Amino acid sequence: MGRFHKFKLIIVTFCIGIGVSAKTITAEADNPQRTIKHAFESAEDGDTIFIKSGTYREGALVLEKRVTLLGEDFPVIDGEFEHEILTVKQDGVIIKGILFKNSGTSNFNDIAALKIVDSKNILIENCKFEDNFFGIHVINSNFVNILNNELRSRKMEGKPSANGIHCWKSNHLTIKNNLITGHRDGIYFEFVTQTEIQDNESIGNSRYGLHFMFSHDNLFRNNSFQNNGAGVAVMYSKRVRMLNNHFRYNWGLAAYGLLLKEIDDSEISGNDFSENTMGIFADGANRIKVTANNFYRNGWAFKINASSVDAEISSNNFIGNTFDMATNGNLRVKTLDGNFWDKYDGYDLNRDGAGDVPYRPITFYSLIIERNSSALMLFRSFFVKLMDTAESVFPSLTPENIKDNAPMTKKIKNQTI
C-alpha cells in the first residue's frame, strides 16, 4: 500500500473514531444521579445531552462544553424566580426543545433565562421561554442563530421586566420566526452589526417591539410589530434596511410605528404602517429612502423634522390618515414625487396616471398644531377647512419645496421587496 493511501486510511480511521466516541447522556428530573448538572460534568465536546420530560430545579447552570441539548416534550428548567437559568460559554452549542421558566430578576444585573457569552456558532431552536427577566441575552458573540422560539412574559407584581431577545456587541446573528410578547422591548440591539431579523412577531411589549442603538448594516424583513407601547425605534445607526414589515396599532402619546433618530443611509421599503399615532417619525434621518410603503389610517402618517436631509420619498400610498405629512421647520427633501395621496383632488388631462397639478401634503393646520398642540380641538371645524383650502390655492406659509410634482391619481400597487 502506498504512503498516500496509508495517510488517507489514518485520516478516515481518525474521523470514524471521533464519531464513535461521541455519546448521548440522559438527564432525568426525578433521578438525583442524572441531573442536568451531572450531565454537564460528564459530557465531552461533541456529546448530546438528552433532557427527559419533567421539571428541573438546579439553580444557575453553566455550560462550557461543545454539546447538543435536546429536550423531550419541552422539559422545564425552572429558575424559581431566583437564578439565571443557563449560561453558555462555549462555541458550537445547540439547544433545542426546552422550556426555560421563571428566571430571577434584578434592578442591577442582567439576569437571563439563557445567556450566551463570548461564543460563536450557536443554535437556539424550537425552545420556549416563560416569565423571565431577560429571555435570551447574547453578549459579545457571533454567528448565533435564534430560530422558531416563543418568548412570553406576564407582568408580575413587584417584579421589573426586561427584553425578550437582547443582543450586545455581537455580529452575524440570525433571528427568525420567533414570537416575543409581554416583555419591555421585544428585540433589543446595541453595537450589533450584519444581522438579519426576519419573520418574527413582536406583539404587546410594554415599550418597543424592536429597538436598535448604534447598530449598523442590519436587515429586518417580514416582521410584525403590533400593539407595542411605543412601536419600533432605530437610533444612532447606519445602513439599516427595513423591508416588508408590518407596523400596526401602536397608539399613545409617545407611540410611533417607526421612530428614526440620527440614522443615515437607510432604506424603508414595502412596509405597512397602519393605525399608529404616527406612522414614521424621523429626526436627524439623513439620506433615507422611503419607497413603496402603505400608510393607512394613522394620526400622522409621516412626520419628518427639518434636521433630516436628502430624504427620497416616492411610490408610497397615503390613505385615510389624519395628517399625511408634518414637519417643524424649513425641511428640504431630495424628492417627494410619485406618491398616491387620497386627499389629492387635482386632474390628469393627459391620462398618464400622474396629476397635472402638484400636491402639497403639509397643511397650514398641521403647521399650527406643531407650534400649539391645543389647536387640535379645532380639528374638523369649518374654520380649519377654510384655512387649508385658502393655503392650497395661494400657498404662502407651507414649505415651498415640500410638494409632489407628479402625484399619482390611482392607488399604487406596491410589490414586496
Side-chain angles (χ1 to χ4, degrees), residues 246-251 257 271-280 293-302 316-324 340 342-343 411 414:
H246 299 280
F247 303 84
R248 295 174 175 166
Y249 315 131
N250 300 291
W251 292 107
N271 302 283
D272 170 32
F273 298 89
S274 297
E275 300 187 67
N276 305 284
T277 298
M278 199 171 293
I280 298 178
N293 301 285
N294 294 314
F295 295 88
Y296 177 67
R297 294 183 64 182
N298 301 281
W300 285 262
F302 191 0
N316 302 286
N317 290 308
F318 292 84
I319 300 171
N321 304 290
T322 304
F323 301 103
D324 289 328
F340 172 75
D342 67 340
K343 297 182 180 67
K411 180 182 175 182
N414 285 328

Side-chain angles (χ1 to χ4, degrees), residues 163-394:
N163 305 325
I165 300 174
H166 184 109
C167 305
W168 180 82
K169 200 179 177 184
S170 300
N171 62 61
H172 294 98
L173 313 180
T174 300
I175 300 172
K176 188 173 182 179
N177 283 326
N178 301 284
L179 169 66
I180 309 109
T181 185
H183 288 272
R184 181 176 61 193
D185 292 346
I187 302 171
Y188 179 89
F189 277 15
E190 189 170 3
F191 304 110
V192 174
T193 61
Q194 298 183 2
T195 284
E196 182 175 333
I197 302 171
Q198 182 171 330
D199 299 317
N200 301 283
E201 292 185 80
S202 186
I203 299 172
N205 298 288
S206 63
R207 192 169 66 172
Y208 295 112
L210 171 68
H211 191 181
F212 272 32
M213 297 277 286
F214 308 105
S215 295
H216 313 311
D217 301 298
N218 295 303
L219 165 69
F220 63 96
R221 181 201 296 267
N222 295 335
N223 301 284
S224 179
F225 305 106
Q226 185 170 305
N227 289 116
N228 297 296
V232 168
V234 180
M235 310 171 77
Y236 311 107
S237 300
K238 299 177 181 179
R239 299 177 299 278
V240 180
R241 300 179 68 211
M242 301 158 249
L243 310 179
N244 305 337
N245 301 283
H246 299 280
F247 303 84
R248 295 174 175 166
Y249 315 131
N250 300 291
W251 292 107
L253 293 176
Y256 316 95
L258 176 62
L259 167 64
L260 306 174
K261 174 69 174 176
E262 303 296 335
I263 79 161
D264 300 329
D265 305 299
S266 295
E267 180 184 0
I268 302 105
S269 296
N271 302 283
D272 170 32
F273 298 89
S274 297
E275 300 187 67
N276 305 284
T277 298
M278 199 171 293
I280 298 178
F281 177 44
D283 183 29
N286 304 310
R287 300 176 301 281
I288 61 171
K289 294 182 179 180
V290 183
T291 60
N293 301 285
N294 294 314
F295 295 88
Y296 177 67
R297 294 183 64 182
N298 301 281
W300 285 262
F302 191 0
K303 181 175 180 181
I304 178 167
N305 281 349
S307 56
S308 304
V309 298
D310 289 337
E312 298 180 34
I313 305 165
S314 62
S315 301
N316 302 286
N317 290 308
F318 292 84
I319 300 171
N321 304 290
T322 304
F323 301 103
D324 289 328
M325 285 192 69
T327 189
N328 66 344
N330 187 23
L331 173 68
R332 294 188 178 276
V333 298
K334 190 171 183 179
T335 181
L336 185 62
D337 296 340
N339 300 283
F340 172 75
W341 315 85
D342 67 340
K343 297 182 180 67
Y344 179 65
D345 56 5
Y347 46 84
D348 177 19
L349 296 180
N350 61 3
R351 299 185 179 181
D352 64 352
D356 299 333
V357 179
Y359 177 68
R360 299 174 183 273
I362 297 180
T363 65
F364 182 41
Y365 180 46
S366 71
L367 293 175
I368 293 175
I369 292 173
E370 185 64 30
R371 291 163 175 77
N372 186 353
S373 60
S374 61
L376 272 171
M377 65 188 300
L378 299 174
F379 181 57
R380 297 191 187 280
S381 70
F382 174 75
F383 177 66
V384 168
K385 189 171 184 178
L386 185 64
M387 283 194 303
D388 283 340
T389 300
E391 182 67 17
S392 66
V393 176
F394 303 106

